[in-house]
Structure formats: C-alpha cells, structure tokens
Amino acid sequence: MPDNPQKEQPRRRQARGERRIAQLLEAAASVFCTTGYTAASTNAIAREAGVSPGTLYQFFPNKEAIAIELGDRLMHEMREAYGEALAPVDPATPLEEAVGAAVDRFIAFNCDHPVFFALMHGPDIPGRIAEEHDALHATLASRIEGLLFSLLPDAPPADVTRTAHVCLGVYKAGLELVLAHEGAGRDAYIQEIKHVLIRYLEPLVGDRLGAPEGTDTATTRTA
Amino acid sequence: MPDNPQKEQPRRRQARGERRIAQLLEAAASVFCTTGYTAASTNAIAREAGVSPGTLYQFFPNKEAIAIELGDRLMHEMREAYGEALAPVDPATPLEEAVGAAVDRFIAFNCDHPVFFALMHGPDIPGRIAEEHDALHATLASRIEGLLFSLLPDAPPADVTRTAHVCLGVYKAGLELVLAHEGAGRDAYIQEIKHVLIRYLEPLVGDRLGAPEGTDTATTRTA
Amino acid sequence: MPDNPQKEQPRRRQARGERRIAQLLEAAASVFCTTGYTAASTNAIAREAGVSPGTLYQFFPNKEAIAIELGDRLMHEMREAYGEALAPVDPATPLEEAVGAAVDRFIAFNCDHPVFFALMHGPDIPGRIAEEHDALHATLASRIEGLLFSLLPDAPPADVTRTAHVCLGVYKAGLELVLAHEGAGRDAYIQEIKHVLIRYLEPLVGDRLGAPEGTDTATTRTA
Amino acid sequence: MPDNPQKEQPRRRQARGERRIAQLLEAAASVFCTTGYTAASTNAIAREAGVSPGTLYQFFPNKEAIAIELGDRLMHEMREAYGEALAPVDPATPLEEAVGAAVDRFIAFNCDHPVFFALMHGPDIPGRIAEEHDALHATLASRIEGLLFSLLPDAPPADVTRTAHVCLGVYKAGLELVLAHEGAGRDAYIQEIKHVLIRYLEPLVGDRLGAPEGTDTATTRTA
DNA sequence: GATGAATGAGGATTCATTCAT
DNA sequence: TATGAATGAATCCTCATTCAT
C-alpha cells in the first residue's frame, strides 16, 4: 500500500482549517468569558464563530479539548510575550522589583487575554477540577516555583512548593478584584496584590542574607 | 433585604413546611458540593431530599432562590455560631491573635459547611456574578470591614473597604488550598493564610500607634 | 427522618404513568418493526406515542431499556398466552404433533406480536449482540432446551443445548420466510418449517425406543 | 443488471481508480463487519481506507451503493472461487456428498469473507429489506434453486423455489451459530447444518427413484 | 482526482419548570 | 400540599453528503 501516505495521524491541515481553528478558539474564549466554562455550549461557540456545530467537531473532539487547546495556546503566548519574565531572577534583584514586575506582566497578560482567568477558575467543584484547568494551574505554579527557587535556593522544596501555591492563590484572588474594578480602583488593587506578596515573601527572602534592616519601612504603604 | 422572594407567605409557616425547607436546603447543599451550582439540577436536589420536583417548586421559585436562601441561612448560622467572632475587636488585641482566631473560626465554619465554599467560588463569571454569591460575598466583606474598622479607626473608609476585599480574597484563595490538602499539609496552609494576612495588615495596624518594634521578628516563620 | 417514605426506589407509579409506559412500548414496537432497532430513534418513538421526548425518558433511561422491557413483557405474554405450550411434553406425544403444535403457537404469537421478530434479529454485528436480544434469545433457547430434555432424557446435555440452538435458528429463519409471504405461500412455509424440524429431530427421538419403522413414510411430503 | 449507478463512467477506468475502489470496498467490508451496516459511517469507511470522504463519494454515490457493489463483487468472487461448486450436480451424486460439499464450500467462503454474513443478516427489517441484501439473497437463492433442479428434475418449480429458500434460510441460521463458536463447537454446528439439510432434502431426492432403503441409517448421528 | 472543510438536520439525553390529580 | 407526569427547548455530538481548492 504505497499510496495512502495520509494514513497516519499527522493531519495534513489546510490553511483554511488553521484559520477556522483560530476563529473557533477566539469564539470559545469569548463565550467562556461571557458565560463561564461550565455554562458555555459548543453550539454557542460555533455560532459565535459563525460556523455550524459540525465544523467545530471537525477540529475538536469535545468541549474540553477546546479549553485545553485554548489553555495551551495561552501558555505559549505567555511564554513568547513575556518570555523570561518568570525565568529565574538575579538574586540581587530587590524583591519589590521582582514581584512588581512579575505582577505587572501577569496583570497585563490577563487583561489582554481575559479567558485566562475564566479557565483558571476551573469548572468549580473543588477536588474534581478538570484537566485543562489543572494544566494551566500547574504550569503557572511550577513557573512561580522556579522563580522562588532562584530567590530561595536554600529553602526546603516542600516549602517552596507551598509558597508558590500561596502566591498563585493570592494572585488569582487579586486578579479577580482587579478585573472587577476600573481606573484608579484597579490600580489600587494592583498595588495591594504586590504589597501582599512582597510582605509575604519578604521574611523568606530576607533570611537569605540575614534580614536586611529597614525592610519594614520600605514596604509600609502610605495609601 | 427584607423581600426575599420566598418569604412572601403570610408568615406563620407550618412546622411541616419549615421542615421541608430545611430538608431541601440540606439536599441542595449536598448536591451543590458534589456537582457545583451550575451542574446541580433541581431534580437532583428534590431526589436527594426525597421529595418530588413539584414539592421543591412549592417552596422555591427557582434554582437561584435555593442558593440564595442557602446563603442567607449560612450567614445566619455563622453569626449565631461564631457570634461575636467577627464583631469589633478590642484594639489592644495583638494582630496575630485577632487574625489567627478569625481565620481559625472561618476555616472551622467552612469545614462544617462545605457548601459555603461551593457558593462562594460559585458557578460564575467575573463581572456577571450571580445574586447569591454577591450576597454572601458582600456580607462577609462588610463584616470583615467592620472588624478592620475597629482595628484601624483612622484609616480612610475607601482603604478599609479595599483592604477588607483583599483580606477576603486572600482568605478564599487560601481556603481553596486548605480544602485541597489534608492533615499536616492542611495545617501548613492554614498557617500560611494567617501569615499572609498578618503580614499584610501589620503595617496598617502598626501605624495606629507608631510602628511597634519587633514586629518583624514576631511574624518571621521558622518553617 | 420518618417523613420521606418515598426515598427508596419502589417508584410509586401512578395509573397514568402505567398507561404511558404501555403507550410508549406500543409505539416502540411499532417503530422497531418499521425501522428496525438500530435505526429507531427515541424521538420517533416519543412522537409515535404522542408525547414529548422528555416524557419517554421519565420512564426509560435509554433506548436499550425500552427494548429490554418490551422483550420482558413479550416473554411474559408468551408465557401467559401459550402457557405450557413449551413445557415438558409427554414423551408419548408423537413428535409431529409436538413440533407442529409448538411451531403453530410460535408462529401465531409472532404474527400477533411482530416486534418479537425485530427484537430477535438483534442489532446486527455477530458476536456483539446487545443484551435484550441475547435475553430473548436465551430465554427461548432454554425453553426449547427444556422441551427437548423431556423428549431426550438420555442425551448428553451439550448435545441437547446444541440441538436447541439449531431448532431455534431454523425456526427464526423459517419465521422470516413465513412473514415474507401471505396466504397459501405462508402456510406452505409453515409446513416446511415443521417438516425440517421433525426430520431433524426424528432420528434423535427415534433413538429413545429403538427407531420405530415407517417413520420415513410418515414425514414424506406430498406437496 | 448492467446499469449499476456507479458504473456509468465511460468504461475504461484508470487503474488507480480501480485500486481506490478496491481499497474502499475492503475498508467498507471491514467496517461493516465491525459495526454492522446501519451503524457504519461513510466517514469511518473513508478513514479506514485512508482516503478523504470526498474521495469516497467520487466513486460511490452513497452508502448503499457501497454495499451493493460489495455484494456484487462478493458474488463474483464466489462464482470464480467456488466455480462450479453450485453448478448442477450429477444426479447420481449421493445427497450427503452434494450437501456436504456445498455447505463446506459456503462455510469456507463465509469465513474468508466475513462481510458476506454481515450483508446477509443485514441491518434491516422484515418486509422492507434493502437492495443489496435482496440482491445477495436472490442470487444465492437462485443458485441453490439451480442445484436443486438438477437433483429434482421432476419437482414443480414453485416447490423447488420454496425448498431453495428454506435451504438458504437454514444455512444462514446455521452460519450464525457456526460463526458464534470456535474449534470443536464450530465443527459440531457445521455437522448439524449438514444434517438438517440432508434430512430435509432426503425424502425429496429419495422420491426420484423410489425411496432407497437404509437412508435413515445413513444419516443417523452418533454424536 | 483528491483533499479536507463545511453543512445542518438529526440523535440521545437532560433539565428547569409547570400541571393535573 | 404533595406527587409524579409532562414539557420542550437545549445540550453534546454524529453523519451522510456537498463544496472549494
């Protein structure tokens, strides 16, 4: 059988198909944002994309796959756009700066890609969280972990992991508040997130080289 | 909020009716916990309660009303059970103690009433948050606000409001982590929440009477 | 909880419900006959029954369940209507008579209940035949087996089982031909089935008491 | 049948086209066997063949046409492979031998070409049997009829036709049992089919020259 | 010819809600 | 009140078939 070269999976996709996929993912992002993942219907996504339901299923086997692909692309974009933002950090960088930069970038990314938030606040039910959200979450968590390791090379891994999860949790909670406000209020909340994180990490990082004095002063808000 | 839709009956409800309602709410709590609000079906709630769907609709006009009433009762129970726990606090109380106690009580309450979490991390979408969650959230936030006011009598109200929201956000994020772990891991996360909150609030409270010294030391973890 | 007596499965069904079930099964029978099991759609069944799809699912969890229940009722009806027709037979009964009576009754039943045939010719795929058809088939086969045991008390069980399956197969094949013809043609085919079966069983039964002579003559057709 | 819909091309098909068709039919055979005709999807066939759905429809106007062509080729193959097996038989051939040979060949062919069975025990409904099955069935029946004519030159044509149909029915029923078993069980069922047919035909054939004696003995099983 | 994309009606099933008893 | 029945739109997904490239 020398003449069925497409028998294997590689899926020679046409340009049109790629466009459709992008279209569908965009539509899915929009619908997920509007109605949440659980309540989003594949028909609604197809409608939003201006195609028939069948077309959607030509490219995705089910709703979850859409969310997964969306998450994957989001992660890729994040890596590309903010490249080494989360990469290990020069331990000499002041904590404030490191945290401030990371939060700013995250917030910017999330404002550009509101689905991110929708996907992270998984389809509810603590403990029975679906794949894609786990994936997003896990990826983010491990990146934060990496960052923390560069700041806290001597901390026990379990602690670093926990700290990373706490940071991510705080960030997500803060993001919700940030997105719920506009203008000055939003900026104020961004400041608060940074503040919470810095204050949380400070003692840990401070331990690196004996707690530097004056730290307290530096992070006391005036707002 | 004196006009909850399901309370327009001429008062003096029969005992049987009250029992039914309790039954239904209990069932709803169980189902919401298992499947999440969005995925919970009224039929499933009725079945779990051992009544027919018709009966359910004799007491609640729709699914949302169930969640709302559940939230209301939860708040009542909370007020009763933990009574003055969130009431204004003697400004002399050490911050650690106040935060520690509040967090412990919250956690305890949430472990006793897992629906609470399900309702708070509701089914929904940033920006278009449904009634019941808003209600729960708002009530909690205002209670925390009250608590903070007692600690920070001189802070601008807008700041206190924001701080309360941040605290609530941090707590919710932490709760998710706490519930996701068991045993020692859970305890460790509880400590982290407290730590985050204390460190976050410390400078604010410290401002009350000029920053007390030694604060840093007191909250530096050894873990 | 003394007041939710309906918590368990017994399904207190109302008379209306029973009527609906009968209606639905009748509709299903009609649709199965018209389109075959595989191609029959639950919507079509509901439509035929004059109810909404939801109503169908109040009584049956899925299409298969309908076929199963239909099969069960069919078996019950058969047992009631033709009662002991397939019960063990007086070994003294002439084979012709026994076979003739059994075939006649079966044919009559199948003409009264055409679904029977549709259900027996399962949803195709040899080897992967679905439950309900297996059930019907197995029940029939075991009844025939019982009948044969009464005729051939000394035969090895494995042989009796095989013989029973062969008889059932022959009967089903014959039934197809019978149903495909009308009037005289139908009668002729009925005769043929009987003839095939009698000739097939004759030597086995004949062995009982030394092959009676003249058997051949008795079953030689003149048609 | 010179006007099969998929043969209207100006004859002289390219070799590639022929290969494609063979490919598709092979795939169809495989899919029909696995899932049955009704449940088989043209997309699945195309996928199995390693071509796109569009390609499939370049050669066949619809699903049914595939089955029809498959049936036709099957008949051709049968004719070629077992050539004169079903051709008129020397009336002197002992019945046992003639039937035994015919059944053996049929069984062999069916084991080589499992689709045959799938197409015969088609997807369908008594009374509204689809084209392809009719075709297969009719062809087979007429061949058997021819064979019987050679054995029973004096029988009324209507009887021969009926007898042929009965034989075919018995054979199909038997085939189902044969395919459902393996090893010794299978062989035993093959014996049973032969036995049923021989005993069924014996008196008819016997009539040819006055019933030969000893017939009974010859066909009495020892199993 | 060949491909993959596109279609859209249809299939099974669910569910919030209403109704008759 | 309480019940089980009824609804019908909506869900996810499939499939025979057609179309643009």
Side-chain angles (χ1 to χ4, degrees):
Chain A
M1 319 108 178
D3 55 24
N4 44 337
Q6 68 282 49
K7 185 132 192 183
E8 299 312 316
Q9 293 306 58
R11 286 222 141 282
R12 211 167 68 228
R13 200 113 63 190
Q14 292 175 345
R16 198 174 18 147
E18 289 295 357
R19 247 179 290 130
R20 270 290 122 94
I21 290 182
Q23 214 175 117
L24 283 164
L25 289 174
E26 210 174 318
S30 156
V31 174
F32 287 162
C33 286
T34 316
T35 67
Y37 173 81
T38 311
S41 90
T42 54
N43 281 359
I45 295 172
R47 206 177 315 122
E48 172 83 16
V51 303
S52 69
T55 298
L56 184 154
Y57 281 92
Q58 195 115 45
F59 299 102
F60 300 100
N62 51 45
K63 196 164 74 160
E64 199 182 356
I66 302 175
I68 292 177
E69 177 68 16
L70 200 48
D72 282 0
R73 301 219 173 178
L74 241 26
M75 293 305 304
H76 281 143
E77 262 193 74
M78 190 159 156
R79 228 164 279 156
E80 276 177 24
Y82 300 95
E84 306 309 312
L86 284 176
V89 137
D90 175 1
T93 317
L95 181 61
E96 276 177 83
E97 204 173 292
V99 168
V103 167
D104 283 339
R105 289 181 217 251
F106 267 110
I107 296 274
F109 186 78
N110 275 290
C111 291
D112 280 1
H113 306 279
V115 226
F116 204 86
F117 182 82
L119 287 182
M120 288 228 303
H121 278 67
D124 35 302
I125 320 153
R128 205 198 125 283
I129 304 196
E131 294 307 307
E132 71 274 27
H133 309 106
D134 255 0
L136 264 196
H137 198 99
T139 311
L140 269 185
S142 73
R143 301 203 124 225
I144 294 175
E145 220 174 314
L147 208 164
L148 289 178
F149 259 119
S150 70
L151 291 169
L152 313 166
D154 303 329
D159 286 14
V160 174
T161 299
R162 182 160 47 242
T163 303
H165 279 97
V166 169
C167 288
L168 181 50
V170 166
Y171 171 72
K172 290 204 300 183
L175 180 58
E176 192 165 351
L177 291 165
V178 166
L179 293 178
H181 293 83
E182 305 230 316
R186 172 170 293 195
D187 292 340
Y189 275 107
I190 294 176
Q191 278 313 113
E192 295 293 298
I193 302 180
K194 293 181 186 172
H195 196 75
V196 170
L197 290 173
I198 292 167
R199 292 278 304 168
Y200 171 58
L201 296 172
E202 216 165 45
L204 302 174
V205 173
D207 286 352
R208 278 184 300 180
L209 347 148
E213 321 154 59
T215 304
D216 247 325
T217 312
T219 60
T220 299
R221 284 169 296 166
T222 48
Chain B
M1 321 107 180
D3 50 31
N4 272 20
Q6 71 282 26
K7 283 196 177 160
E8 58 209 357
Q9 306 292 338
R11 204 51 23 161
R12 212 60 211 106
R13 219 178 336 244
Q14 283 81 0
R16 189 168 40 145
E18 284 294 357
R19 240 183 294 129
R20 276 281 126 101
I21 290 182
Q23 218 173 89
L24 284 163
L25 289 174
E26 207 177 319
S30 157
V31 174
F32 287 161
C33 285
T34 316
T35 66
Y37 172 82
T38 309
S41 88
T42 54
N43 283 351
I45 295 172
R47 201 181 319 122
E48 174 82 17
V51 304
S52 66
T55 299
L56 184 155
Y57 279 89
Q58 216 115 37
F59 294 100
F60 300 99
N62 52 44
K63 195 163 82 159
E64 199 183 358
I66 301 174
I68 293 177
E69 177 67 15
L70 197 49
D72 282 0
R73 301 223 171 175
L74 239 27
M75 292 308 304
H76 283 142
E77 261 193 75
M78 190 157 158
R79 229 164 280 156
E80 277 176 25
Y82 300 96
E84 307 310 310
L86 284 175
V89 137
D90 175 1
T93 316
L95 181 59
E96 275 179 84
E97 201 173 293
V99 167
V103 167
D104 283 339
R105 288 180 216 252
F106 267 109
I107 297 273
F109 186 78
N110 275 289
C111 291
D112 281 1
H113 304 277
V115 225
F116 204 84
F117 182 82
L119 288 181
M120 288 225 307
H121 279 70
D124 44 324
I125 308 102
R128 203 199 125 282
I129 304 199
E131 297 306 310
E132 72 273 29
H133 309 110
D134 252 1
L136 265 196
H137 198 97
T139 312
L140 266 185
S142 73
R143 302 205 119 226
I144 294 175
E145 221 174 314
L147 207 162
L148 288 178
F149 259 120
S150 69
L151 290 168
L152 314 165
D154 304 327
D159 285 14
V160 174
T161 301
R162 182 161 47 243
T163 304
H165 279 98
V166 170
C167 287
L168 182 50
V170 166
Y171 170 72
K172 291 203 300 184
L175 180 58
E176 192 165 350
L177 291 166
V178 166
L179 294 179
H181 292 84
E182 305 229 318
R186 172 171 293 196
D187 293 340
Y189 275 108
I190 293 176
Q191 281 313 313
E192 295 295 296
I193 302 180
K194 291 181 186 172
H195 196 75
V196 171
L197 290 173
I198 291 166
R199 292 276 306 168
Y200 171 57
L201 294 173
E202 218 164 44
L204 302 175
V205 173
D207 286 352
R208 278 184 300 179
L209 350 147
E213 323 153 57
T215 305
D216 246 325
T217 311
T219 60
T220 298
R221 283 167 296 166
T222 47
Chain C
M1 319 107 178
D3 55 24
N4 44 334
Q6 69 282 49
K7 185 131 193 185
E8 300 311 316
Q9 294 305 60
R11 285 222 143 284
R12 211 168 66 226
R13 202 113 61 188
Q14 292 175 348
R16 196 172 22 145
E18 289 295 355
R19 247 179 290 131
R20 269 291 121 92
I21 291 181
Q23 213 174 117
L24 284 163
L25 289 174
E26 210 175 317
S30 156
V31 174
F32 286 161
C33 286
T34 316
T35 67
Y37 173 82
T38 312
S41 89
T42 55
N43 282 358
I45 295 173
R47 205 178 316 121
E48 172 83 15
V51 303
S52 69
T55 297
L56 184 155
Y57 281 91
Q58 196 116 44
F59 299 101
F60 300 100
N62 52 45
K63 196 165 74 160
E64 199 182 356
I66 301 175
I68 291 177
E69 177 67 15
L70 201 47
D72 283 0
R73 300 217 173 179
L74 240 26
M75 292 306 303
H76 280 143
E77 263 192 75
M78 191 159 156
R79 228 163 280 156
E80 277 177 24
Y82 300 96
E84 306 309 312
L86 283 176
V89 136
D90 175 2
T93 316
L95 181 61
E96 276 178 82
E97 202 173 293
V99 167
V103 167
D104 282 339
R105 288 180 216 251
F106 265 111
I107 297 275
F109 186 78
N110 275 290
C111 290
D112 281 1
H113 305 280
V115 225
F116 204 86
F117 182 82
L119 287 182
M120 287 227 304
H121 277 67
D124 36 303
I125 319 153
R128 206 200 122 283
I129 303 195
E131 294 307 309
E132 71 274 27
H133 309 105
D134 256 359
L136 264 195
H137 198 99
T139 310
L140 270 184
S142 73
R143 302 202 123 226
I144 295 175
E145 220 173 314
L147 208 163
L148 289 178
F149 259 120
S150 69
L151 291 169
L152 314 165
D154 303 328
D159 285 13
V160 175
T161 300
R162 183 162 46 243
T163 304
H165 279 97
V166 170
C167 288
L168 182 50
V170 166
Y171 171 73
K172 291 204 298 184
L175 180 59
E176 193 165 350
L177 291 166
V178 166
L179 293 178
H181 292 83
E182 306 229 316
R186 173 170 294 194
D187 293 339
Y189 275 108
I190 294 176
Q191 278 313 112
E192 295 295 297
I193 302 179
K194 291 181 188 172
H195 197 75
V196 171
L197 290 173
I198 291 166
R199 291 277 305 168
Y200 171 56
L201 296 173
E202 218 166 43
L204 303 175
V205 173
D207 286 351
R208 277 185 299 179
L209 350 146
E213 322 155 60
T215 305
D216 246 324
T217 311
T219 61
T220 297
R221 285 168 296 164
T222 48
Chain D
M1 321 111 177
D3 50 31
N4 271 19
Q6 72 280 24
K7 282 196 177 158
E8 60 210 356
Q9 307 291 336
R11 202 51 27 158
R12 210 60 212 105
R13 226 188 318 257
Q14 282 81 1
R16 189 168 39 146
E18 285 295 357
R19 240 183 295 131
R20 275 282 125 99
I21 290 182
Q23 218 172 87
L24 284 163
L25 290 174
E26 207 176 319
S30 156
V31 174
F32 287 161
C33 285
T34 317
T35 66
Y37 173 83
T38 310
S41 88
T42 54
N43 284 351
I45 295 172
R47 202 181 318 121
E48 174 81 16
V51 304
S52 65
T55 299
L56 184 154
Y57 279 89
Q58 216 115 38
F59 295 99
F60 300 99
N62 52 44
K63 197 164 80 160
E64 199 182 358
I66 301 174
I68 293 178
E69 177 67 14
L70 198 48
D72 284 0
R73 301 223 170 177
L74 238 26
M75 292 308 303
H76 283 141
E77 261 193 76
M78 192 159 156
R79 229 164 281 157
E80 278 176 22
Y82 300 95
E84 307 311 311
L86 284 175
V89 137
D90 174 1
T93 316
L95 181 61
E96 275 177 83
E97 203 173 292
V99 167
V103 167
D104 282 339
R105 288 182 216 250
F106 267 110
I107 297 274
F109 186 78
N110 275 290
C111 290
D112 280 2
H113 305 278
V115 226
F116 204 84
F117 182 82
L119 287 181
M120 288 225 306
H121 279 70
D124 43 320
I125 306 103
R128 202 198 127 282
I129 303 199
E131 297 305 310
E132 72 274 27
H133 308 111
D134 253 359
L136 265 195
H137 198 98
T139 311
L140 268 184
S142 72
R143 303 205 119 226
I144 294 175
E145 221 174 313
L147 207 164
L148 288 178
F149 260 121
S150 69
L151 290 169
L152 314 165
D154 304 327
D159 285 13
V160 174
T161 300
R162 182 160 47 242
T163 303
H165 279 98
V166 169
C167 287
L168 181 50
V170 166
Y171 170 72
K172 290 204 300 183
L175 180 59
E176 191 166 351
L177 291 166
V178 166
L179 293 178
H181 292 84
E182 305 228 318
R186 171 169 295 195
D187 293 339
Y189 276 109
I190 293 175
Q191 281 312 313
E192 295 295 297
I193 302 179
K194 291 180 186 171
H195 197 74
V196 171
L197 290 173
I198 291 166
R199 291 278 303 170
Y200 170 57
L201 295 173
E202 217 165 44
L204 303 175
V205 172
D207 285 351
R208 278 184 300 177
L209 349 147
E213 323 153 58
T215 306
D216 248 324
T217 311
T219 60
T220 297
R221 284 168 295 165
T222 47

